[in-house]
Amino acid sequence: MSSPHLTQTNSVSEIMLKVLLALVPAIAANVWFFGPAVLVTLSLASVTALVLETVMLKLRGRPVVPFLMDGSALLTAWLLALSIPPMGPWWLIVTGTAFAIVIAKHLYGGLGSNPFNPAMVGYAVLIISFPVQMTQWLAPASIALSHIDFAAQLDYMFFHVLPQGMQLDALTSATPLDTLKTQLHLDKPISAILSLPIYGEVGGKGGEWVAGAYLAGGLYLLQQRIISWHVPAAFIAAICLTAGAFHLFDPAHHASPWLHLAAGATMIGAFFILTDPVTGPTTPKGKLIFAFGAGFLTYLIRVYGSYPDGAAFAVLLMNICVPLIDAYTQPPVFGKKK
Amino acid sequence: MKLLHRFNGGIHPPQHKTESTRLPILSAPIPEKLVIPLHQHIGTSAKPLVAAGDAVLKGQMIGKAEGYVSSSVHAPTSGKITAIGYEPAPHPSGLRDLCITLEPDGLDAWIERHPLDYLNMDPSSLRNRLRDAGVVGLGGAVFPSFIKLNPGSGKKIKTLVLNGAECEPYITCDDMLMRERADEIIAGAKIMRFMLHAEEVLIGIEDNKPEAIAAMRAALKEAPFEVIPVPTIYPGGGAKQLIRVLTGIEVPAGERSTDLGVQCFNVATALSVYRAIAHGEPVLSRIVTITGAVNKPRNYEALIGTPIDVLIRLAAPVKDSDGAIMGGPMMGFELPSTCVPLVKATNCIIVKSATLFPPAPQPMPCIRCGKCAESCPADLQPQELYWFSKAGNFGKAQEYALFDCIECGCCSYVCPSHIPLVQFYRYAKSEIWAQEREKKASDLARIRHELRVDRMEREKREKAERLAQKSAQARTQMNSEEET
Amino acid sequence: MIDAILVMSGLALFLGGVLGYASIRFHVQGNVLVEKIDAILPQTQCAQCGFPGCRPYAEAIADGRAQINQCPPGGDANIRKLADLLGVEFKPLNAKHGAPKPKSVAFIDENTCIGCTLCIQACPVDAISGAPKQMHTIIAQECTGCGLCVAPCPVDCIGMIPVPESISTWKWKQPDYLMGVA
Ligand code: SF4
Ligand code: SF4
């Protein structure tokens, strides 16, 4: 083979590993505020993903070890698991992961060829098919009406049984964004809604800390030059601008940009989901357009759509546009700039 | 302090330069046999002027430049021509090329030399001298220098750039040359400036060569010459990149820098210009770095045509050495055999070993991470080019500026999926060239076939007419005979 | 009811008119298509396709009298280009017409040649020089390698020699690897 005879040692596995590492603070925050059930969700999703990845690679006649080692299946599993309500039933997790790995990834050609973000496809399928289970979020430990221990949580996840006399409603609550939407429908003013116990300083109680942890992980990825600033910056800017405009225009019915930044999937989206290289544009300008569009759509779907959060759908919609964006944002080559 | 510009991308591979700069340049002994290829430059091959059995003197022209883009070839020492024929050439293909084999007689007897006083000569005769002296770009591109020293009528060259950047790892021949022969380089630069009427001469040297910078500064006292340390980054020594850094001008692919008022030469080329003009000495030898898996890495001044394995033996290769790269590790190629001659383009020989150059990691699918695009100094989108080249969609690859790629290899170097990107572009380019050659040949065949068809039709028509005429004549004759 | 029929037939008439106009206005000239096909054909003029040369074959393809897979020197690559141009399915080369061979040029054994000029008459591109009773030579740059001169030679002095790869025609190979396989 011809030159170069040197390559750097950096590999896909290393990149994926660093991304997984960057998720650790958010996982820790989740455990702290919502209990260790998150870890079970994560493990279950990981095992499902690895098993299915192996099966699919075998079926497609690809070498198993190097592709398993690339870590992309694990990353998909983690991102999906972190978007599913903690203490979701086991079949929910398995179905979502299976969809992500088998359909969204391998049937489209596997690593590098899938046009849609697998984790978000899994999420979208789940929320459309099982809206009830997908919106029952465990209430942060501090405000839950009652509390069950870890063993009882496992019982619920795997056998769908709760301790005697316990109601699921007592353990869960709608997400802050969901609450906001339903309460606004009841014509409650924003100020009254935001004083509900589920809200914290800027976002949801607990949730705002998780968002902060995603931010920290994202900054690490930026510092490691694994992601470029374009995507998170444009996404956050889009959310701020749209939410800010609506808020200025009609503060009684529109929450401030702060809430939109700290709640829902904004931070994980900005730093971990939209930054997926495979399903995003490659040109710097394209990245800006892509992420800005996703931010705008996220806000619209969040506020006017019928689903609690819009990030997943916004990402998938923008995924469709990627080839077009790439084709129209080719940067000028050396010597041909104006 | 001059304000420097920058180009996008670039990489910082491990340097490996100090190994070969510890010792001064050493003259390699005259080998038992010299094999001198007639095609050591860009353009048409030189035409042999000697026959087997001829005795030649050192510096005697043995191959004459043929056509405009061409350059001459000389006997590097005195001796006897033993053969003219096809010998293995230092080329990635391992194919043979027309070479002249010379058996040195050990006398090293010079042919008569004619120094020129360049200040009292017109540039055109100076250019002829350079062409006849076989002066070509010694940075590796081996383009005939006399052509680049012809600015063309009405063109104004503002800046002459001397390239002493030497950005590729392992290579140190220019570094050592600047340390040891700065005076002659500057003298050559003066001749070049005279020929181009350049306003300023900027000598770009990467800041990882403080000794060379100091030596060049010491050798040069007057304006408008200036030594400018440039940041160390690969491929900062590419002509286009260096021009960009020093002047801010970007020379687009397919355009000549002359048209933008800049011209760029390697420092070693400047030295051979000086030797050719001021001493009447053609290019007979060059400095070559022998490094890598050898015990005594250093720079040698070796005669053109010296077998490369002889040079490698001088440097004492280590036990597990295996094969060699000609050029640098980023753009050089693996020699199919080391039994090939040193040519004007050979700036470096890196002896390989499994420890120095472990086999490339296995490629994985492209994850569109864009690292390649970030590192591309030509501002291309390597991942798209790869896709099109691999699919054989060459038209699309050209649309995405395949031919603007300078084959620096940065993209392949950084790719976390270890995809042989630039290797795919080389393949695509050579396929496109082959298709163009075929197209030309088939166009020629079509024209010749059409001419032939026309000719045959004309001949048939003429024959028929002649026949008709004859029979008409015969008839009238018959008629008249009947009448009588 | 009547209205509907009127509207529909009016529409049909109008659209038919538009289509008719378009087919006249934008008619791809037969010649243009033949040119395009001819540009793809390798111009070997070997007649293996069953037509007396590349152009007649191009005309036959344009008229639908010939298949696109009858040209051995062009090989599959050319068939693919033709399929693209004409918007039809790719078909592998029809073996009846021969197999693709490496590019060759004719070579005349000058000692045996009797100067009969039969080969000169056979060469479709006038790549053989010589006069009656004099030795003939192939102009290698102009020979398309069609081999048409081989059969007519009464003394069998013409051979086809494959063109060797040289440094100037050498090509980089496509990198060959299997993803993820060590
Ligand atoms: S660096 Fe490699 S993996 Fe990344 S976009 Fe370029 S080709 Fe694809
Ligand atoms: S080899 Fe070509 S595409 Fe790759 S980085 Fe260099 S110029 Fe860009």
Side-chain angles (χ1 to χ4, degrees):
Chain A
M1 198 165 278
S2 59
S3 60
H5 306 278
L6 295 175
T7 48
Q8 66 182 10
T9 46
N10 222 342
S11 64
V12 178
S13 326
E14 215 175 298
I15 293 182
M16 297 288 179
L17 210 72
K18 282 186 176 159
V19 180
L20 291 175
L21 197 68
L23 280 171
V24 169
I27 295 171
N30 258 311
V31 172
W32 180 262
F33 289 102
F34 301 97
V38 185
L39 293 178
V40 181
T41 313
L42 269 173
S43 325
L44 190 57
S46 306
V47 172
T48 315
L50 293 179
V51 169
L52 287 174
E53 176 94 354
T54 312
V55 171
M56 288 314 288
L57 287 169
K58 276 251 153 66
L59 283 179
R60 292 177 55 226
R62 299 295 147 102
V64 173
V65 178
F67 277 97
L68 266 192
M69 293 298 291
D70 71 30
S72 60
L74 210 56
L75 181 58
T76 300
W78 283 27
L79 291 176
L80 180 62
L82 289 170
S83 320
I84 293 180
M87 221 179 107
W90 67 270
W91 49 265
L92 193 72
I93 303 161
V94 172
T95 316
T97 316
F99 223 92
I101 298 289
V102 177
I103 312 259
K105 185 173 178 191
H106 281 285
L107 290 192
Y108 279 105
L111 177 69
S113 305
N114 48 301
F116 298 108
N117 189 309
M120 288 303 100
V121 172
Y123 177 86
V125 166
L126 290 183
I127 198 148
I128 293 171
S129 320
F130 312 106
V132 178
Q133 286 83 351
M134 283 296 282
T135 41
Q136 283 167 340
W137 281 75
L138 215 50
S142 57
I143 60 159
L145 298 179
S146 47
H147 190 70
I148 55 174
D149 61 8
F150 185 47
Q153 290 188 343
L154 288 183
D155 269 350
Y156 178 76
M157 288 174 76
F158 287 96
F159 309 108
H160 210 280
V161 287
L162 282 172
Q164 281 278 295
M166 180 75 72
Q167 289 293 308
L168 189 60
D169 289 353
L171 296 172
T172 62
S173 72
T175 62
L177 285 175
D178 216 3
T179 315
L180 180 67
K181 200 183 284 176
T182 27
Q183 297 291 320
L184 279 173
H185 270 296
L186 302 175
D187 273 340
K188 295 253 178 67
I190 284 272
S191 47
I193 303 174
L194 289 187
S195 56
L196 290 173
I198 171 171
Y199 293 99
E201 296 300 319
V202 283
K205 208 166 252 154
E208 58 196 13
W209 287 99
V210 176
Y214 283 129
L215 177 64
L219 292 179
Y220 164 73
L221 291 183
L222 275 176
Q223 184 263 330
Q224 290 287 310
R225 302 179 48 106
I226 290 189
I227 59 175
S228 70
W229 59 270
H230 303 82
V231 166
F235 185 70
I236 290 174
I239 293 215
C240 280
L241 287 179
T242 350
F246 277 93
H247 182 65
L248 276 184
F249 181 68
D250 183 5
H253 294 99
H254 295 277
S256 78
W258 290 114
L259 177 79
H260 283 283
L261 285 185
T266 307
M267 285 300 161
I268 187 177
F271 291 100
F272 292 91
I273 290 172
L274 281 157
T275 49
D276 170 32
V278 175
T279 55
T282 51
T283 62
K285 221 198 266 168
K287 284 181 179 153
L288 290 176
I289 297 174
F290 170 78
F292 198 90
F296 183 68
L297 286 177
T298 299
Y299 183 84
L300 289 190
I301 299 174
R302 199 177 256 185
V303 173
Y304 295 104
S306 54
Y307 290 107
D309 197 357
F313 295 101
V315 171
L316 294 177
L317 282 175
M318 289 312 288
N319 281 164
I320 302 177
C321 312
V322 163
L324 205 66
I325 297 178
D326 263 345
Y328 282 104
T329 53
Q330 288 297 316
V333 303
F334 185 87
K336 312 244 166 97
K337 297 168 196 130
K338 276 179 282 173
Chain B
M1 197 64 225
K2 203 168 155 65
L3 189 69
L4 294 183
H5 302 262
R6 57 180 305 279
F7 58 91
N8 285 335
I11 53 172
H12 296 278
Q15 300 270 321
H16 289 292
K17 284 187 187 264
T18 45
E19 290 92 327
S20 52
T21 54
R22 293 197 195 105
L23 299 168
I25 299 173
L26 183 71
S27 266
I30 300 177
E32 280 161 26
K33 188 182 83 175
L34 292 164
V35 178
I36 305 131
L38 283 159
H39 195 194
Q40 298 188 39
H41 47 264
I42 302 246
T44 357
S45 194
K47 202 175 78 198
L49 291 181
V50 288
D54 287 2
V56 291
L57 287 171
K58 178 176 187 168
Q60 181 178 338
M61 192 190 287
I62 53 175
K64 191 174 169 44
E66 175 95 325
Y68 183 60
V69 186
S70 185
S71 189
S72 306
V73 176
H74 303 79
T77 183
S78 60
K80 204 173 83 186
I81 306 292
T82 55
I84 299 181
Y86 283 85
E87 306 287 342
H91 188 263
S93 64
L95 291 169
R96 289 163 179 264
D97 209 357
L98 194 58
C99 298
I100 296 179
T101 308
L102 170 78
E103 213 179 85
D105 57 13
L107 301 175
D108 210 22
W110 269 102
I111 197 169
E112 198 185 329
R113 283 162 280 178
H114 302 282
L116 299 179
D117 174 17
Y118 72 92
L119 285 174
N120 296 319
M121 292 188 65
D122 66 308
S124 124
S125 25
L126 289 174
R127 283 200 296 273
N128 287 342
R129 160 61 67 91
L130 293 180
R131 170 185 147 115
D132 293 339
V135 178
V136 297
L138 293 182
V142 286
F143 189 79
S145 302
F146 76 95
I147 299 177
K148 281 171 71 181
L149 284 165
N150 186 358
S153 55
K155 297 265 165 55
K156 177 106 192 63
I157 299 285
K158 179 169 174 282
T159 313
L160 168 63
V161 171
L162 270 207
N163 189 344
E166 200 165 50
C167 59
E168 223 179 321
Y170 286 96
I171 311 178
T172 57
C173 57
D174 290 345
D175 185 2
M176 295 309 288
L177 195 73
M178 289 187 287
R179 291 191 203 185
E180 297 184 15
R181 302 183 196 170
D183 288 331
E184 292 178 76
I185 295 173
I186 302 291
K190 280 186 186 152
I191 301 175
M192 289 170 154
R193 170 164 182 255
F194 172 80
M195 292 174 74
L196 289 170
H197 306 293
E199 279 171 33
E200 52 175 2
V201 181
L202 306 179
I203 306 169
I205 306 175
E206 277 194 351
D207 54 16
N208 60 353
K209 303 182 207 14
E211 295 92 342
I213 294 173
M216 291 290 279
R217 284 211 166 126
L220 151 156
K221 278 143 211 116
E222 71 251 64
F225 290 70
E226 198 181 341
V227 171
I228 301 171
V230 296
T232 300
I233 183 171
Y234 176 83
K240 287 180 190 226
Q241 281 64 39
L242 188 64
I243 290 175
R244 163 78 192 159
V245 168
L246 291 177
T247 66
I249 294 171
E250 287 189 7
V251 183
E255 268 180 51
R256 294 180 314 164
S257 63
T258 332
D259 298 339
L260 301 169
V262 222
Q263 194 55 285
C264 177
F265 291 91
N266 177 269
V267 283
T269 315
L271 186 134
S272 42
V273 166
Y274 166 72
R275 301 292 317 173
I277 304 280
H279 293 271
E281 288 175 13
V283 180
L284 306 181
S285 63
R286 69 155 297 141
I287 314 291
V288 55
T289 311
I290 312 285
T291 180
V294 291
N295 288 315
K296 292 189 266 173
R298 82 183 293 171
N299 281 280
Y300 289 93
E301 176 158 22
L303 296 183
I304 304 295
T306 308
I308 282 173
D309 50 351
V310 169
L311 291 171
I312 293 179
R313 268 201 301 279
L314 286 180
V318 301
K319 258 204 218 79
D320 67 334
S321 68
D322 154 41
I325 296 167
M326 177 171 134
M330 296 301 297
M331 294 183 76
F333 59 90
E334 186 160 2
L335 286 169
S337 145
T338 51
C339 299
V340 291
L342 175 103
V343 287
K344 290 176 188 172
T346 316
N347 49 2
C348 180
I349 297 290
I350 306 172
V351 179
K352 285 179 62 174
S353 74
T355 21
L356 272 185
F357 295 95
Q362 270 309 304
M364 296 288 284
C366 168
I367 55 166
R368 294 167 48 83
C369 66
K371 293 271 176 253
C372 49
E374 262 170 46
S375 75
C376 176
D379 300 324
L380 305 176
Q381 296 288 310
Q383 78 283 3
E384 309 275 359
L385 288 175
Y386 157 66
W387 192 247
F388 296 132
S389 305
K390 192 175 176 202
N393 194 344
F394 300 135
K396 207 71 187 157
Q398 274 169 283
E399 240 172 72
Y400 277 74
L402 173 66
F403 282 96
D404 288 42
C405 165
I406 57 169
E407 298 184 20
C408 65
C410 290
C411 49
S412 299
Y413 180 81
V414 298
C415 176
S417 285
H418 306 300
I419 300 173
L421 295 165
V422 64
Q423 292 87 334
F424 268 104
Y425 314 149
R426 290 201 187 97
Y427 150 74
K429 285 181 184 178
S430 70
E431 282 298 322
I432 292 170
W433 284 321
Q435 280 178 6
E436 271 166 18
R437 275 198 304 273
E438 266 166 37
K439 182 99 189 50
K440 255 199 207 130
S442 79
D443 284 347
L444 178 74
R446 181 183 301 112
I447 293 169
R448 293 185 64 85
H449 180 65
E450 278 165 8
L451 285 177
R452 176 186 162 87
V453 169
D454 284 353
R455 198 194 69 222
M456 285 183 9
E457 257 163 28
R458 199 178 56 236
E459 277 171 7
K460 219 159 69 197
R461 215 175 36 242
E462 281 168 2
K463 213 166 162 187
E465 273 165 18
R466 267 202 310 276
L467 237 81
Q469 237 168 29
K470 250 193 202 145
S471 58
Q473 260 172 15
R475 242 194 323 273
T476 40
Q477 224 164 29
M478 236 152 37
N479 286 350
S480 52
E481 270 167 22
E482 266 170 28
E483 272 167 28
T484 47
Chain C
M1 181 69 190
I2 299 282
D3 296 359
I5 291 174
L6 279 179
V7 167
M8 289 312 281
S9 32
L11 214 65
L13 266 177
F14 172 71
L15 289 177
V18 170
L19 282 179
Y21 172 75
S23 73
I24 294 167
R25 175 78 174 68
F26 301 110
H27 180 62
V28 181
Q29 293 258 302
N31 273 342
V32 176
L33 187 60
V34 172
E35 297 288 330
K36 281 190 182 154
I37 298 173
D38 197 38
I40 292 173
L41 296 176
Q43 305 301 322
T44 316
Q45 316 291 358
C46 62
Q48 291 181 79
C49 50
F51 294 88
C54 298
R55 175 110 194 162
Y57 177 41
E59 281 161 6
I61 295 178
D63 296 351
R65 284 182 286 120
Q67 299 289 329
I68 58 171
N69 60 347
Q70 304 183 354
C71 170
D76 282 353
N78 262 6
I79 299 174
R80 215 158 253 134
K81 282 190 207 152
L82 287 174
D84 264 2
L85 173 71
L86 302 168
V88 298
E89 270 307 287
F90 164 82
K91 314 183 186 120
L93 182 69
N94 185 343
K96 242 185 26 224
H97 295 273
K101 286 193 255 341
K103 167 121 175 65
S104 316
V105 289
F107 179 78
I108 297 182
D109 178 358
E110 309 189 335
N111 297 322
T112 329
C113 170
I114 52 169
C116 69
T117 76
L118 286 178
C119 59
I120 298 188
Q121 289 163 39
C123 177
V125 290
D126 285 343
I128 308 178
S129 70
K133 303 273 167 54
Q134 271 168 24
M135 192 202 42
H136 301 342
T137 338
I138 308 274
I139 310 166
Q141 290 97 321
E142 281 157 13
C143 171
T144 63
C146 67
L148 289 180
C149 51
V150 176
C153 177
V155 291
D156 273 347
C157 75
I158 305 182
M160 300 301 294
I161 301 177
V163 184
E165 199 172 37
S166 77
I167 286 187
S168 51
T169 58
W170 176 81
K171 292 192 283 188
W172 285 100
K173 307 290 169 290
Q174 175 161 19
D176 173 29
Y177 61 89
L178 264 176
M179 251 156 214
V181 186

